[in-house]
Structure formats: C-alpha cells, structure tokens
C-alpha cells in the first residue's frame, strides 16, 4: 500500500491511483513488489529537522528515503520537501510537476537498490529517473 500525506504544506495535486500504479510498474522493472511505502510532503524546515535528527546532516535536501525493504518487497518512508522541489525546478528550468515526480520516483529507485553517491552512480540514477518518467507518460 502506498500512502500520501502532507505536514505543514498543501498536499500536491497528484492523482494517487495513477501514481501508485506507476510506482508499482517502475518497481516491477527491477523485479520488486511494493509493500508499504509512505510519502510525507513537508517544507524545508521540517526536512532539515529530519535530516539533522535521523542522519546527522545539517542541510536541506529534496528527499530523504528510509529503507525497510524485505527481499524483493520494497518498503519505506519517503520525506519530500516541496520547497526544495520547487527551488530545484526553477534551478534546472523544469516544470514543477516534472521535478516533483522525478523526486517521487527517486526514492522508489533507492528502495529498488540504486544509489547516487558513488562514482558514476549519479548518472545511472538520472538515467533510471528519465526511464521511469517516460513510463509515466504512456
């Protein structure tokens, strides 16, 4: 089951049923099934608080992924800062909605085993995001 909640921000306009089906389809391309995934949309101050408390990081980010996977069943909590998503959309000259869905699927790709911190991993993650976004548009 995939849940979507907002805390301190207005819930983004996403079609939950379509988005859930898309997330499941992307996970399936990695041989994964969706268990429990919880999305929490927040503002920059809240994501900074979460980043500090749970990861010891003192900076803003667009998404934090908490991975509770069990084999091929993906489970996790994904905390997304809509403020940072909006800033990044402006920075990268992308539509806000496209950046939002890129971040939504970014967390799922982490749950599927992709990373973006090591050498060459960022490029692989971006390619996987692009592939997933193309699936959404079909």
């Amino acid at each position: 089951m995939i849940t979507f909640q907002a805390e301190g921000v207005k819930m983004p306009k996403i079609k939950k049923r379509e988005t859930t089906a898309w997330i499941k389809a992307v996970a399936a391309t990695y041989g994964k099934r969706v268990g429990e995934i919880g999305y929490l949309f927040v503002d920059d101050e809240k994501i900074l608080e979460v980043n500090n408390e749970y990861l010891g990081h003192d900076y803003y980010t667009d998404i934090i992924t908490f991975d509770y996977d069990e084999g091929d069943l993906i489970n996790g909590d994904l905390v997304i800062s809509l403020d940072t998503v909006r800033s990044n959309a402006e920075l990268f000259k992308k539509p806000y909605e496209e950046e939002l869905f890129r971040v939504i699927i970014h967390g799922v790709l982490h749950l599927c085993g992709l990373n973006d911190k090591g050498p060459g991993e960022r490029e692989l993650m971006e390619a996987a995001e692009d592939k997933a976004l193309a699936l959404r548009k079909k």
Side-chain angles (χ1 to χ4, degrees), residues 30-89:
Y30 292 90
K32 305 288 185 178
R33 294 176 301 118
V34 171
E36 299 284 329
I37 297 177
Y39 283 92
L40 179 62
F41 300 101
V42 300
D43 61 14
D44 270 352
E45 293 313 307
K46 182 64 178 178
I47 206 151
L48 181 62
E49 180 185 311
V50 171
N51 217 0
N52 267 310
E53 184 175 340
Y54 294 97
L55 302 175
H57 299 161
D58 191 26
Y59 54 81
Y60 300 102
T61 187
D62 51 0
I63 184 169
I64 298 173
T65 303
F66 295 97
D67 185 340
Y68 315 126
D69 288 357
E70 298 171 13
D72 70 345
L73 192 66
I74 60 172
N75 299 284
D77 288 321
L78 299 102
V79 184
I80 296 175
S81 170
L82 296 181
D83 292 338
T84 299
V85 168
R86 192 171 314 286
S87 298
N88 286 346

Side-chain angles (χ1 to χ4, degrees), residues 60-62 82-96 98-100 102-103 122 126:
Y60 300 102
T61 187
D62 51 0
L82 296 181
D83 292 338
T84 299
V85 168
R86 192 171 314 286
S87 298
N88 286 346
E90 291 170 12
L91 179 69
F92 302 128
K93 296 177 176 32
K94 298 282 186 187
Y96 170 75
E98 180 181 326
E99 187 63 19
L100 175 62
R102 179 176 297 278
V103 173
R122 162 65 47 205
E126 288 175 2

Side-chain angles (χ1 to χ4, degrees), residues 97-114:
E97 183 179 82
E98 180 181 326
E99 187 63 19
L100 175 62
F101 281 98
R102 179 176 297 278
V103 173
I104 285 171
I105 210 62
H106 180 92
V108 171
L109 293 170
H110 274 306
L111 296 177
C112 289
L114 279 77

